[in-house]
Amino acid sequence: MNVCLSTEHPYNHLIETLNDGRIKYFNPQKLNDQRYDKLPLSIRVLLEAAVRNCDGFYTKEEDVQNLLDWQQQQCKTEVPFTPARVLLQDFTGIPAMVDLAAMRDAVAKHGVDPSLVNPKCPTDLIVDHSLQIDYSKWCGMELIRNKERLQFFKWCSKAFKNVNVVPPDVGAVHQVNLEYLSRVVQVRGGFIYPDSVVGTDSHTTMINGLGILGWGVGGIESEAVMLGQPVSLTLPQVVGCKLVGSINPLTTSIDIVLGITKHLRQAGIAGKFVEFFGPGVSQLSAPDRTTIANMCPEYNATVSFFPVDQVTIKHFKKTNFTQEKLELLESYMRAVKLFRCFDDPSEDPQYSEVTDVIEINLSSIVPYVSGPKRPQDRVAVCSMKEDFQSCLDEKVGFKGFHISKEKQETRVPFLHCGREYQLAHGSVVIAAVISCTNNCNPAVMLTAGLMAKKAVEAGLVVKPYIRTSLAPGSGMVTHYLSTSGVLPYFSQLGFEVIGYGCATCIGNTAPLPEAVVDAIKQGDLVACGVLSGNRHFEGRLCDCVRANYLASPPLVVAYAIAGTVGINFEKEPLGVTSEGKEVYLRDIWPSREEVQQTEEDMVISSIFKDVRGRMDKGNTFWNNIDCPESILFPWDHKSTYIRSPCFFSKLSKEVPPPQSIENAHALLFLGDKVTTDHISPAGSIARVSAAAKYLQSKRLTPREFNSYGARRGNDAVMTRGTFASIKLQNRFIGKSGPKTLHIPSGQTLDVFEAAERYQRDGIHLIILAGKDYGSGNSRDWVAKGPYLLGVRAVIAESFEKLHKNQLVGMGIMPLEFLPGQNADSLELNGKERFTITLPESLSPRQQLNVNVRHICSLDGKLFGSVLLYVHKRLLQSNKMNCLNFPYGGEVVKYAFVTVKTDER
């Protein structure tokens, strides 16, 4: 954000300088050293943003003091947060940029220069794979559906300031954010300050692993931030997660990530910030940290924050950071105490409570494999030999094979390539190193490669009858295995690259040698397969291989060399060299430092070089796309993908007073657990839907309908798709489907058709609902759609918090019944007329009357109590000296409203 340079800034006295006075910064610790030093570092980021953006309107000095008093104010007070940038992915970016283009049209009609309409907050829009897959040839004709959108995005990149469009074929949004857009610090207008981000992608939390505060928000919230409004959040509790102990030498990055995730999932930290500290943090690489931060949805935290330290600095040395930028970054972060030395406990902040510190001993995290029949059956590697023995003993079931004691020692000799070998229970006959899902982490593949190198150098081999294979997840994996020099050693052990795609997991294993199959059948042996994939059900790899284990790539190599799963790696050697020397797994397992150094040198630098190259060159499609050079977007009225929305048709220079809702009908009467999937268009467009009828009127065939996601830039399609879910349970209808009752006529209609009739007749609309209304993934159309249908209020037992904010942002009132009350307890059938009277001036915690009138009677009654969330801009609109739009903003205050219930 731009920093106010005026002498009237209330915190000018906090300004200090770096680089011989060339760079300025606000130093919040000068407010109060003692209190600042006790704050969690994630809260310090929020505090710095409040100090820098304190304008007396959106952010006040009171907010700064509340952040400084975080220990007392947490969970009680709302504060604004102005992030440094906004991150959009393509599906959410389309409606946001369409809105901005429509704003330009609206202000131009009022005689205002449309070029003044730009995001105030720097915005990155990544056109990622969800678009580029679709941009192809079909029946010899280029699909214009994505060409339209790409032309629009390219126009946006040229027409708007503060908008950076990352073209197709560069990468997925979260990866581009990590690999290219992350800056740790921002330098704008001569000021330096911490990088921070809100994004519309669920993976936005990954960025916290690099010391950059960020989390996911809805499309409406992101648009508000783009236009200069801060995010409003209740001061969160911050749970300290202390990492101690040393990592087990055989433990991989994936073991650590899953182990920490398991601990946090069991800790009950929903909605809280998690901040890592303790000496164990320095053992985690930057990719480890970002993976843990990405797992936030798994343990329901808002963010998992890793403060900047030397590991972070080392990581950015391999990226696009110059030495000068790194020195400035470190100097600034140290100056404002956002840089951590995790080995120094005197730097540890105070977290929410002593009981809110979770201690995880990294040495307690041990490597596991899963099997022998189901992925959920985990076995510690140190117990593998005993566990396999118990599987032989157990009755046939999820784990057991029921092999009698006298047959458990069976050994069957066979010839292979002129040499005699023996098979026994537990013998490995399939070993597949696969880079997919969790095992796409470069660290685990490099660990396997470095171990293969050491094994070959030690003289170890894999028995030739074992069906070995190497399936990299992408060409990039092959590239870094090759450049790091380990690929030839994989090959020498028999792990040859077989190609890119699903193979062993889905049973695409080359046939085993006939002699091996015959030996297995002859001895009725429980032979084993070991793979680093994600599926291993009994008989899936090969019908004669009954025991199959999922393992990390290095353990696949280890078990292949050992030739059996019946081995204790601590006590038994992997093999014996031709000179008779015993070699243990610990002798060839690479250290974490060795793996991390190779990863930084070979993988990180390659990835950043590749991303930079694609960013600079773009791609053929993108470079060849023509786009208008105009300030206003030339809307194509024939387009069914990009259309100017009607949100700004009533744009005025004056903010109208809040309007009461009079004699409204209920458009829908819903129950509990109405999710965003029920409300917001998603997935394919059904052939009998209102949206389909609209597209057919535009002469499109069902084959050309595409999905709601692809048409998010067309409000006509999205409005018709609102509440179009086939799983919608509307109590007016009594069965699932996108239908409702048009109360005046008694007809059953599509939701859109009923809403259209109500609006044509000038009838206000509300929605009645039960508990947890609006839960699920955030989507901008969960509020935009109901708004365009004419919905003015939703009365529910409870709301998902983010959705409640979205409704307020669109000017729809989210009203809650008091605890213990609902539509049934108040004897509502949904067919009443509802009047909600709003006073001329709204204030928090004021009373609100809801009058319910039965259609069959003129008698009225007031029911229950509701919770009214008040929009800040409604309260402060008299201070606004600008054009005001009929939506946008954030929830700041709420009012408990008590009204009496009269007898009918």
Side-chain angles (χ1 to χ4, degrees):
M1 290 299 212
N2 295 326
V3 180
C4 176
L5 300 179
S6 140
T7 55
E8 298 177 1
H9 194 290
Y11 294 108
N12 275 346
H13 62 285
L14 303 183
I15 294 177
E16 297 186 354
T17 62
L18 292 170
N19 283 17
D20 300 324
R22 289 175 294 165
I23 301 292
K24 299 178 182 180
Y25 67 95
F26 287 92
N27 192 348
Q29 63 183 313
K30 292 173 69 176
L31 290 167
N32 186 308
D33 275 346
Q34 291 183 339
R35 284 190 290 172
Y36 183 84
D37 290 349
K38 293 178 181 178
L39 291 176
L41 276 72
S42 52
I43 299 299
R44 296 180 198 179
V45 175
L46 297 178
L47 175 60
E48 189 283 335
V51 167
R52 178 168 37 88
N53 293 286
C54 188
D55 58 2
F57 179 59
Y58 285 128
T59 305
K60 302 177 181 179
E61 293 181 60
E62 176 188 356
D63 298 316
V64 172
Q65 289 304 314
N66 285 335
L67 281 158
L68 197 59
D69 293 333
W70 165 80
Q71 196 66 252
Q72 289 72 41
Q73 298 297 329
Q74 57 183 304
C75 300
K76 300 176 183 177
T77 307
E78 285 194 355
V79 293
F81 172 53
T82 303
R85 57 191 174 94
V86 174
L87 180 71
L88 302 175
Q89 45 98 332
D90 51 1
F91 271 7
T92 54
I94 288 175
M97 300 314 296
V98 164
D99 284 352
L100 283 176
M103 286 182 195
R104 284 196 167 185
D105 293 343
V107 299
K109 290 178 181 178
H110 285 267
V112 179
D113 181 1
S115 66
L116 297 176
V117 176
N118 296 287
K120 188 176 180 182
C121 184
T123 301
D124 296 304
L125 192 157
I126 290 81
V127 186
D128 66 3
H129 57 278
S130 59
L131 265 176
Q132 64 190 342
I133 287 175
D134 208 26
Y135 193 95
S136 59
K137 302 281 184 177
W138 176 47
C139 299
M141 297 179 62
E142 193 176 87
L143 283 173
I144 63 168
R145 53 187 179 182
N146 281 310
K147 187 174 181 180
E148 287 182 48
R149 286 180 285 168
L150 291 175
Q151 283 177 327
F152 177 72
F153 281 139
K154 195 164 186 180
W155 173 81
C156 290
S157 69
K158 295 182 177 183
F160 289 108
K161 298 176 182 178
N162 273 344
V163 173
N164 171 45
V165 177
V166 177
D169 202 33
V170 172
V173 56
H174 53 283
Q175 287 300 122
V176 174
N177 191 28
L178 284 174
E179 297 163 5
Y180 187 81
L181 302 175
S182 57
R183 299 172 177 87
V184 186
V185 293
Q186 297 272 357
V187 180
R188 290 171 64 87
F191 275 77
I192 186 171
Y193 50 92
D195 189 14
S196 56
V197 62
V198 292
T200 57
D201 182 78
S202 60
H203 297 282
T204 304
T205 54
M206 289 183 80
I207 207 67
N208 292 278
L210 299 178
I212 300 169
L213 188 64
W215 62 85
V217 296
I220 293 173
E221 291 84 358
S222 65
E223 287 189 49
V225 175
M226 289 167 66
L227 295 173
Q229 295 188 26
V231 175
S232 182
L233 73 156
T234 302
L235 267 175
Q237 288 181 286
V238 182
V239 177
C241 185
K242 186 175 184 179
L243 303 184
V244 299
S246 298
I247 296 173
N248 186 309
L250 301 187
T251 302
T252 67
S253 295
I254 297 305
D255 294 320
I256 295 165
V257 169
L258 296 180
I260 291 175
T261 298
K262 180 181 178 181
H263 278 281
L264 294 176
R265 188 187 297 120
Q266 295 170 345
I269 53 175
K272 300 178 182 179
F273 280 19
V274 175
E275 186 167 303
F276 288 85
F277 72 109
V281 178
S282 341
Q283 300 177 60
L284 302 182
S285 67
D288 292 340
R289 299 176 185 188
T290 56
T291 307
I292 293 168
N294 182 50
M295 300 290 278
C296 274
E298 292 292 321
Y299 42 86
N300 293 321
T302 301
V303 299
S304 282
F305 189 73
F306 287 86
V308 173
D309 68 340
Q310 285 296 345
V311 172
T312 318
I313 300 295
K314 182 180 178 182
H315 168 77
F316 279 104
K317 283 182 179 178
K318 303 298 180 181
T319 66
N320 56 346
F321 277 45
T322 63
Q323 186 61 33
E324 181 183 7
K325 182 185 284 189
L326 283 170
E327 291 173 359
L328 176 63
L329 183 161
E330 186 170 350
S331 297
Y332 169 72
M333 299 301 270
R334 288 184 182 278
V336 294
K337 294 188 177 180
L338 289 174
F339 191 94
R340 276 302 317 258
C341 175
F342 290 109
D343 293 324
D344 184 359
S346 67
E347 294 185 10
D348 291 349
Q350 289 184 1
Y351 295 102
S352 291
E353 296 176 12
V354 177
T355 55
D356 271 348
V357 172
I358 302 167
E359 184 169 303
I360 300 176
N361 191 329
L362 296 176
S363 63
S364 69
I365 300 175
V366 297
Y368 282 85
V369 297
S370 294
K373 300 181 182 182
R374 303 187 304 174
Q376 62 264 44
D377 296 325
R378 301 179 72 204
V379 183
V381 172
C382 59
S383 306
M384 180 65 164
K385 185 174 183 176
E386 294 79 9
D387 188 83
F388 181 74
Q389 182 61 49
S390 69
C391 290
L392 295 180
D393 294 334
E394 288 182 19
K395 293 181 179 180
V396 175
F398 290 132
K399 292 196 69 170
F401 297 101
H402 198 53
I403 304 298
S404 62
K405 288 290 185 183
E406 62 272 16
K407 292 185 177 181
Q408 289 183 12
E409 300 301 321
T410 300
R411 292 183 175 274
V412 180
F414 68 98
L415 289 175
H416 179 74
C417 296
R419 184 176 174 181
E420 184 175 300
Y421 298 92
Q422 284 189 341
L423 288 183
H425 293 291
S427 290
V428 174
V429 294
I430 296 174
V433 173
I434 302 167
S435 171
C436 75
T437 60
N438 278 339
N439 290 311
C440 65
N441 187 312
V444 293
M445 292 298 289
L446 287 172
T447 300
L450 292 170
M451 194 180 79
K453 179 176 182 291
K454 292 175 181 284
V456 171
E457 292 171 345
L460 297 178
V461 296
V462 174
K463 294 178 177 64
Y465 62 81
I466 297 176
R467 184 65 69 196
T468 51
S469 60
L470 173 60
S474 69
M476 176 58 74
V477 178
T478 305
H479 173 72
Y480 68 66
L481 291 178
S482 179
T483 55
S484 61
V486 301
L487 197 57
Y489 297 97
F490 267 125
S491 181
Q492 289 184 58
L493 290 180
F495 292 93
E496 300 282 359
V497 175
I498 60 171
Y500 308 98
C502 294
T504 308
C505 290
I506 59 172
N508 288 347
T509 304
L512 296 176
E514 288 187 16
V516 171
V517 175
D518 291 342
I520 294 172
K521 291 180 178 180
Q522 179 183 337
D524 191 25
L525 299 177
V526 180
C528 298
V530 186
L531 69 154
S532 60
N534 60 8
R535 291 291 185 273
H536 69 319
F537 304 116
E538 183 177 6
R540 183 163 187 164
L541 308 192
C542 180
D543 58 6
C544 65
V545 179
R546 285 190 273 174
N548 299 295
Y549 289 90
L550 299 180
S552 64
L555 286 177
V556 172
V557 176
Y559 281 115
I561 294 171
T564 179
V565 299
I567 181 174
N568 184 320
F569 287 130
E570 286 293 318
K571 300 177 181 179
E572 300 174 62
L574 274 180
V576 179
T577 66
S578 56
E579 292 81 20
K581 179 184 176 181
E582 291 184 340
V583 180
Y584 289 80
L585 181 58
R586 58 180 173 268
D587 298 328
I588 63 170
W589 193 279
S591 68
R592 282 185 61 79
E593 293 74 21
E594 184 180 358
V595 173
Q596 289 177 0
Q597 189 63 52
T598 305
E599 184 178 18
E600 293 287 346
D601 292 343
M602 301 297 175
V603 182
I604 303 299
S605 57
S606 294
I607 288 174
F608 276 84
K609 183 178 179 180
D610 179 64
V611 171
R612 283 199 304 272
R614 283 185 283 170
M615 282 288 294
D616 294 338
K617 293 188 300 183
N619 60 64
T620 303
F621 282 125
W622 182 256
N623 294 336
N624 291 337
I625 288 174
D626 296 324
C627 74
E629 301 290 336
S630 56
I631 295 175
L632 298 177
F633 184 70
W635 306 98
D636 180 358
H637 298 293
K638 295 180 181 179
S639 173
T640 56
Y641 281 95
I642 306 293
R643 178 179 130 126
S644 179
C646 59
F647 298 125
F648 311 107
S649 59
K650 297 180 181 179
L651 178 66
S652 67
K653 294 184 179 181
E654 300 296 330
V655 179
Q659 299 293 314
S660 296
I661 300 173
E662 298 182 0
N663 291 318
H665 272 302
L667 177 64
L668 296 161
F669 189 13
L670 306 173
D672 298 338
K673 302 289 184 182
V674 175
T675 70
T676 52
D677 283 336
H678 295 118
I679 305 168
S680 175
S684 59
I685 298 172
R687 296 190 178 196
V688 295
S689 65
K693 294 174 186 176
Y694 167 80
L695 293 174
Q696 286 171 334
S697 73
K698 300 295 182 181
R699 299 185 177 180
L700 294 184
T701 65
R703 189 173 186 177
E704 298 170 301
F705 286 174
N706 210 331
S707 66
Y708 284 113
R711 296 189 181 275
R712 289 176 77 164
N714 187 323
D715 62 302
V717 172
M718 301 305 286
T719 305
R720 286 165 172 80
T722 304
F723 295 111
S725 169
I726 60 173
K727 296 182 179 180
L728 183 71
Q729 292 283 350
N730 183 1
R731 293 174 64 177
F732 282 150
I733 304 303
K735 60 181 180 180
S736 61
K739 301 287 185 180
T740 194
L741 177 68
H742 181 250
I743 296 172
S745 67
Q747 290 181 285
T748 297
L749 303 172
D750 287 334
V751 174
F752 172 78
E753 292 174 354
E756 192 175 37
R757 282 200 193 182
Y758 283 125
Q759 291 194 74
R760 189 168 59 234
D761 296 336
I763 297 175
H764 292 165
L765 293 173
I766 68 163
I767 291 173
L768 293 175
K771 299 174 183 176
D772 300 324
Y773 182 83
S775 58
N777 293 331
S778 170
R779 298 181 183 132
D780 49 356
W781 281 99
V782 295
K784 286 181 176 179
Y787 171 81
L788 292 179
L789 288 177
V791 175
R792 297 283 305 279
V794 178
I795 303 176
E797 289 184 67
S798 63
F799 292 84
E800 197 280 331
K801 183 178 179 180
L802 181 56
H803 181 54
K804 186 162 48 185
N805 295 1
Q806 293 168 333
L807 290 174
V808 172
M810 288 302 301
I812 298 174
M813 289 190 294
L815 307 176
E816 289 185 0
F817 296 106
L818 274 186
Q821 294 186 350
N822 54 39
D824 291 332
S825 68
L826 296 167
E827 300 180 15
L828 299 176
N829 60 26
K831 298 178 182 179
E832 300 86 356
R833 302 295 291 265
F834 299 83
T835 295
I836 305 173
T837 304
L838 298 181
E840 291 186 3
S841 85
L842 293 171
S843 61
R845 302 183 184 276
Q846 69 187 86
Q847 290 191 353
L848 177 71
N849 292 335
V850 180
N851 185 280
V852 180
R853 187 177 300 277
H854 289 266
I855 294 177
C856 61
S857 170
L858 295 178
D859 295 332
K861 74 171 182 177
L862 298 176
F863 74 88
S865 299
V866 294
L867 188 63
L868 168 66
Y869 283 76
V870 183
H871 187 226
K872 186 174 184 179
R873 291 186 64 178
L874 293 176
L875 299 178
Q876 299 179 327
S877 59
N878 60 320
K879 299 181 181 179
M880 299 291 285
N881 185 23
C882 62
L883 293 171
N884 292 278
F885 299 98
Y887 78 99
E890 76 293 339
V891 175
V892 220
K893 302 293 181 184
Y894 54 86
F896 287 101
V897 184
T898 305
V899 294
K900 297 179 180 179
T901 303
D902 293 339
E903 292 299 326
R904 192 176 302 176

